[in-house]
Amino acid sequence: MGLAFTACLTGPALAVSAAGRRKAQVIGATITVGAVGFAVNFIAMAWHPAAPLRYPSPFHYYTPGDALAHGTLTWGSFAVLLAVGAAGLGVAVPLLLRRDLAP
């Protein structure tokens, strides 16, 4: 689950890195995905009217405790996390191939 969660955060960060020019943009985007995702998931778990908002958060799908308690991975959540990472990588690769890295 940790690998899938890392891929989920790394894919979009790589896409922002490929599209942007500054390191601050990448750091800001990664922190935003992480912090906002955590906050939205926390609020959605605590407040019933906001419950549907938990699905866009990566923290809803990252449940390593379930794997420890039940002895198996939650394959649906694992697939969602990897799919988000793959989508970010899919956006980043064409942008990086077009980018001129010469000074």
Side-chain angles (χ1 to χ4, degrees):
M1 283 307 270
L3 171 72
F5 184 71
T6 302
C8 180
L9 293 180
T10 304
L14 186 60
V16 171
S17 175
R21 296 279 178 193
R22 290 189 211 108
K23 183 171 45 172
Q25 291 172 329
V26 179
I27 293 170
T30 306
I31 290 172
T32 300
V33 168
V36 171
F38 181 80
V40 166
N41 187 52
F42 182 78
I43 291 168
M45 287 183 354
W47 189 40
H48 180 67
L53 294 176
R54 71 180 182 261
Y55 296 109
S57 171
F59 290 93
H60 172 69
Y61 301 100
Y62 179 60
T63 54
D66 290 348
L68 292 172
H70 303 295
T72 183
L73 284 176
T74 311
W75 291 105
S77 297
F78 188 78
V80 169
L81 291 171
L82 283 180
V84 170
L89 188 62
V91 169
V93 168
L95 291 172
L96 286 172
L97 290 176
R98 276 187 309 144
R99 192 167 177 178
D100 182 20
L101 299 177

